[in-house]
Amino acid sequence: MKILHYILFILAIALIVFNVTQLDFNNIFSNDSLIGLIGIVASFCAILILLIFRMSKSIEDKLKD
């Protein structure tokens, strides 16, 4: 399960990097840039969910001991 978390974390970071390359900084709210911004926000949400899940698993393991 830990390996899956790392793989998903790396994929989310790769999606952030890819979407940053899709941004047009001169016109940030154009259609293509808006899709990139949505992708960046979604990737940050995925990272946040993975971190929350990892913290909840560590708390669960401590409570079992």
Side-chain angles (χ1 to χ4, degrees):
M1 192 71 153
K2 212 174 205 183
I3 295 172
L4 179 66
H5 286 138
Y6 288 125
I7 291 171
L8 292 175
F9 192 77
I10 290 170
L11 284 174
I13 291 175
L15 281 173
I16 289 172
V17 171
F18 174 74
N19 284 320
V20 166
T21 62
Q22 300 298 313
L23 294 178
D24 179 19
F25 292 106
N26 292 329
N27 191 4
I28 199 75
F29 293 111
S30 68
N31 287 338
D32 293 335
S33 292
L34 192 59
I35 293 170
L37 286 174
I38 292 170
I40 291 169
V41 171
S43 298
F44 275 124
C45 289
I47 289 172
L48 184 64
I49 290 170
L50 286 170
L51 291 175
I52 290 170
F53 185 69
R54 185 183 301 171
M55 289 174 68
S56 70
K57 283 294 188 183
S58 67
I59 291 171
E60 182 181 342
D61 291 341
K62 287 181 182 180
L63 288 177
K64 284 183 180 178
D65 291 339

